[in-house]
Amino acid sequence: MTLSVFCILLFAALLHASWNAIVKAGSDKLYSAIAVSGSAALIALILLPFSPQPTLASAPYLAASCALQVVYTVLVAKTYQVSDMSQTYPLMRGTAPLLVALISVLILGDSLSTLAWGGIAVICVSILGMAFNGRSQSRKGIWLALLNSCFIAGYTLVDGTGVRLAGSALGYTLWTFFLNGFCLLLWAMLTRRQVVTRYLVANWKKGLPGGVGTMGSYGLALWAMTQAPLAVVAALRETSILFGALLAFLLLKEKVAGLRIVAACGIAAGAMLLRLA
């Protein structure tokens, strides 16, 4: 992996942790997630006429990704309603790269060096150690996080294949966020229009930076998937855990200590192994 791809993925990780913190800090987690997704959809709609369009071959992957990511967004909100971000966020993000690595190698034909496997393993084990440090306040939160990790792995694999067929990472990214945000907003307006409208009007200033964060984070990751193996990108992107723990401590006033600090160092070590792979 080149230094430029490595640095871009670290920046994407920071953006990813930031929009998750915005959702967690919202007074209603589901509506906050809808505000973030809706803002991203609006930005995508504005930019789409000026972007190269993806090929028709990528259309089925866009549709499948939309379905997976809509469920993922709702599950993120539900998970944060019942548990701390500092525990469930690492659990969601730490399990998914293992699934991506196994499926991408066994089914999609990607190849990984021994060093890359080592880096992925170190990152995932460190993240899971961070998640299980201390007693859980919510068993339900753990199960929701594990379920969401399957959807994360699913849309990562789908989008990794789709963006390689699209011919334009930017076009594929914009269509992804437009479709995801449109579907979430449509569902919200059909089921709870008045409440959602009031929330969006009152909180659009928070939703807008969240929309920029989620689009920038995943858009950069999609581009990186055209430059490096899916498993390496998925694992390195999860260095967002470092930023997520910091944000949870500084902004959300959650306790981050003990094993989680050791785990953070492990994540950094794993990232360096991937840089050298």
Side-chain angles (χ1 to χ4, degrees):
M1 178 180 291
T2 65
L3 180 60
S4 60
V5 174
F6 179 80
C7 292
I8 285 171
L9 279 172
L10 289 183
F11 181 62
L14 172 60
L15 291 176
H16 190 274
S18 299
W19 82 258
N20 272 261
I22 289 173
V23 171
K24 175 62 177 175
S27 57
D28 186 288
K29 308 305 184 277
L30 177 58
Y31 298 160
S32 182
I34 290 172
V36 168
S37 295
S39 298
L42 178 61
I43 296 169
L45 181 62
I46 293 171
L47 296 178
L48 268 171
F50 308 100
S51 167
Q53 298 302 303
T55 63
L56 287 177
S58 65
Y61 296 92
L62 280 169
S65 173
C66 178
L68 290 167
Q69 293 207 49
V70 166
V71 177
Y72 157 73
T73 303
V74 174
L75 279 177
V76 166
K78 184 62 177 177
T79 302
Y80 291 164
Q81 284 177 344
V82 300
S83 57
D84 281 350
M85 176 182 172
S86 57
Q87 180 177 59
T88 51
Y89 181 74
L91 188 56
M92 281 189 288
R93 308 308 305 189
T95 309
L98 287 175
L99 299 175
V100 171
L102 291 172
I103 295 173
S104 65
V105 170
L106 296 176
I107 297 178
L108 300 182
D110 276 356
S111 60
L112 295 174
S113 67
T114 302
L115 197 57
W117 275 112
I120 291 169
V122 169
I123 287 175
C124 292
V125 170
S126 299
I127 290 171
L128 294 177
M130 184 181 290
F132 286 111
N133 179 37
R135 294 186 60 184
S136 170
Q137 295 181 354
S138 171
R139 182 174 297 179
K140 183 178 180 181
I142 289 178
W143 285 111
L144 284 172
L146 289 173
L147 176 61
N148 216 1
S149 71
C150 296
F151 283 92
I152 293 169
Y155 75 66
T156 299
L157 291 163
V158 167
D159 283 335
T161 304
V163 74
R164 291 174 176 179
L165 295 173
S168 169
L170 176 59
Y172 189 93
T173 299
L174 293 177
W175 274 107
T176 294
F177 280 98
F178 172 71
L179 292 172
N180 294 348
F182 175 79
C183 289
L184 274 172
L185 279 174
L186 180 63
W187 168 78
M189 291 302 173
L190 289 176
T191 58
R192 51 194 80 183
R193 178 181 305 172
Q194 293 183 348
V195 178
V196 171
T197 300
R198 284 198 299 269
Y199 188 91
L200 294 179
V201 170
N203 295 275
W204 67 270
K205 290 183 179 180
K206 296 179 180 178
L208 191 58
V212 173
T214 185
M215 180 178 291
S217 171
Y218 199 51
L220 292 173
L222 286 174
W223 171 81
M225 289 175 190
T226 67
Q227 310 294 315
L230 299 184
V232 172
V233 173
L236 190 54
R237 186 170 177 248
E238 303 317 339
T239 55
S240 60
I241 300 301
L242 293 170
F243 302 110
L246 184 61
L247 291 173
F249 175 72
L250 293 177
L251 301 181
L252 305 180
K253 307 306 179 183
E254 296 178 7
K255 183 179 292 186
V256 181
L259 182 59
R260 291 183 184 179
I261 296 176
V262 177
C265 296
I267 294 168
M272 294 313 299
L273 286 176
L274 289 180
R275 170 67 186 93
L276 296 173

